[in-house]
């Protein structure tokens, strides 16, 4: 990160390792990372716009599915299908 980004607090517009970061953020949303993961997530989201957007989109999808699929487990295939369709639209 260059000094200008650090001093202004701006997020970078491109992620250096999108797939790894998205996997990490999804693990955190799944509750697999605990408190250290949450702290890491806060730092990552503060610095990286693509990760920030992905996290909030993923969080919104999960919340929507929870409310629409009450008391039923959401099949992983459904989540993947919705995520793929949203990515295709972008």
């Amino acid at each position: 990160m260059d000094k200008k980004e650090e001093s202004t607090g701006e997020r970078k517009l491109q992620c250096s390792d999108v797939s790894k970061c998205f996997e990490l953020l999804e693990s955190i949303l799944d509750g697999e990372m605990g408190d250290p993961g949450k702290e890491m997530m806060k730092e990552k989201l503060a610095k990286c716009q693509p990760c920030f957007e992905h996290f909030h989109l993923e969080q919104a999808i999960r919340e929507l599915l929870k409310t629409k699929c009450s008391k039923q487990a959401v099949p992983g295939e459904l989540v993947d299908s919705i995520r793929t369709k949203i990515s295709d639209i972008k």
Side-chain angles (χ1 to χ4, degrees):
M1 176 182 294
D2 66 30
K3 291 183 192 233
K4 181 180 180 239
E5 282 184 1
E6 244 178 71
S7 65
T8 63
E10 293 179 19
R11 289 186 186 105
K12 60 184 178 173
L13 300 178
Q14 292 187 336
C15 185
S16 58
D17 193 354
V18 174
S19 61
K20 184 177 179 183
C21 290
F22 287 4
E23 188 177 308
L24 170 68
L25 293 175
E26 288 173 13
S27 293
I28 292 166
L29 282 169
D30 289 340
E32 298 170 356
M33 300 292 285
D35 289 338
K38 289 177 185 177
E39 190 60 37
M40 189 183 341
M41 176 188 65
K42 285 181 187 178
E43 291 175 19
K44 182 70 177 162
L45 297 180
K47 296 176 185 176
C48 183
Q49 186 64 30
C51 291
F52 178 83
E53 291 172 2
H54 175 77
F55 175 80
H56 289 288
L57 175 61
E58 185 74 22
Q59 190 175 41
I61 290 170
R62 289 170 186 236
E63 287 302 315
L64 179 66
L65 290 173
K66 279 183 193 176
T67 60
K68 299 300 180 189
C69 301
S70 61
K71 297 189 181 186
Q72 296 178 8
V74 178
E77 298 86 24
L78 176 60
V79 174
D80 292 339
S81 173
I82 293 170
R83 188 178 300 125
T84 300
K85 289 178 182 183
I86 291 171
S87 294
D88 290 345
I89 292 170
K90 285 185 174 183

